[in-house]
């Protein structure tokens, strides 16, 4: 009886811990997405041109490294907003280019709606079914390498079909990452750092939105 009570207490404590991480993660994610929207709007208002790809990678990966380095301290929150603000700022010129198209606003709204529905749907699958998606870890590792190589090749050779494949690949990759990260929070007792969980989900949403926007733009008559 005592053993059963201990198990029940451990299960309740773990469930409370998971719920706390989920609440903190989604609250911080909402704030970072809002902050990114503000910095993207600022970049559009300032007429900022598209950033050099090398500068983008240095800034993005440098700030992401800073987030991981400070994730267990209060400075991690500042690093998180610095990273997401930077990513939003780099998104501004992309949105400006799409806004110049005749159907640009519709493309952006459609991509935004599809991104939101996809995130909510995939999160619901992981949370409601309680299925363990840890098996996606190896797929994500291999997929990241393939997508980076394909993206570099696309930038060098400017092959439309390859760019289409890269965008579609990033949609699948981001979707898998959302399932994987949400599952890790639910099933892995060690996944208690909501800052790192937020960053993973944020990057997935960012990639999902940009890739869907690219696919819609390619398929558009404009």
């Amino acid at each position: 009886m005592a053993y059963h009570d201990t198990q029940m207490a451990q299960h309740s404590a773990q469930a409370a811990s998971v719920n706390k991480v989920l609440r903190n993660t989604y609250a911080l994610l909402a704030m970072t997405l809002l902050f990114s929207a503000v910095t993207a709007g600022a970049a559009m208002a300032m007429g900022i041109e598209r950033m050099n790809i090398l500068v983008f990678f240095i800034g993005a990966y440098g700030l992401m490294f800073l987030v991981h380095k400070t994730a267990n301290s209060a400075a991690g929150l500042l690093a998180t907003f610095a990273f997401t603000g930077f990513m939003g700022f780099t998104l501004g010129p992309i949105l400006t280019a799409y806004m110049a198209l005749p159907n640009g606003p519709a493309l952006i709204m459609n991509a935004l709606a599809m991104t939101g529905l996809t995130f909510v749907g995939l999160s619901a699958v992981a949370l409601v079914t309680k299925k363990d998606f840890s098996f996606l870890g190896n797929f994500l590792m291999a997929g990241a390498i393939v997508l980076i190589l394909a993206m570099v090749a696309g930038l060098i050779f400017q092959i439309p079909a390859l760019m289409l494949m890269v965008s579609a690949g990033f949609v699948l990759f981001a979707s898998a990452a959302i399932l994987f990260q949400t599952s890790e929070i639910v099933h892995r007792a060690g996944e208690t750092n909501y800052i790192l969980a937020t960053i993973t989900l944020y990057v997935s949403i960012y990639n999902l939105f940009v890739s869907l926007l690219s696919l819609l733009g390619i398929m558009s008559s404009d």
Side-chain angles (χ1 to χ4, degrees):
M1 183 68 177
Y3 176 72
H4 178 72
D5 291 341
T6 301
Q7 278 192 318
M8 289 293 292
Q10 289 178 341
H11 180 74
S12 297
Q14 183 176 350
S17 176
V18 168
N19 290 334
K20 181 180 179 181
V21 175
L22 284 171
R23 286 196 305 270
N24 290 340
T25 298
Y26 288 137
L28 183 58
L29 181 63
M31 288 187 286
T32 55
L33 290 173
L34 180 60
F35 186 58
S36 291
V38 171
T39 56
M44 295 175 70
M46 295 165 61
I48 301 296
E49 296 183 357
R50 193 161 186 172
M51 189 175 294
N52 179 276
I53 190 67
L54 182 60
V55 175
F56 170 79
F57 279 125
I58 292 174
Y61 284 101
L63 288 170
M64 188 179 292
F65 174 79
L66 181 62
V67 170
H68 281 78
K69 201 71 174 169
T70 60
N72 293 312
S73 66
L77 289 173
L78 294 177
T80 298
F81 280 100
F83 170 74
T84 55
F86 174 81
M87 296 299 286
F89 194 78
T90 62
L91 189 60
I94 299 175
L95 296 179
T96 299
Y98 275 88
M99 288 294 288
L101 298 175
N103 62 338
L107 289 176
I108 293 173
M109 292 306 298
N110 287 337
L112 189 61
M114 291 171 67
T115 300
L117 291 173
T118 301
F119 175 73
V120 172
L122 292 173
S123 297
V125 168
L127 293 173
V128 174
T129 66
K130 296 293 193 296
K131 184 177 180 180
D132 190 347
F133 289 97
S134 59
F135 64 88
L136 292 174
N138 292 331
F139 165 79
L140 291 172
M141 182 67 70
I145 296 173
V146 172
L147 285 173
I148 289 174
L149 293 176
M151 185 171 62
V152 171
L155 291 172
I156 294 174
F157 299 109
Q158 295 294 313
I159 303 174
L162 181 58
M163 297 302 291
L164 179 63
M165 291 175 59
V166 169
S167 295
F170 266 110
V171 169
L172 294 176
F173 180 83
S175 299
I178 291 170
L179 282 173
F180 176 80
Q181 183 58 59
T182 307
S183 175
E184 286 295 286
I185 296 174
V186 173
H187 295 282
R188 301 292 172 272
E191 183 60 273
T192 58
N193 192 307
Y194 67 93
I195 290 179
L196 296 181
T198 297
I199 287 297
T200 301
L201 291 175
Y202 174 89
V203 171
S204 299
I205 292 172
Y206 180 95
N207 285 331
L208 185 60
F209 173 70
V210 172
S211 300
L212 286 172
L213 187 60
S214 178
L215 287 173
L216 291 174
I218 292 174
M219 293 185 292
S220 171
S221 59
D222 297 310

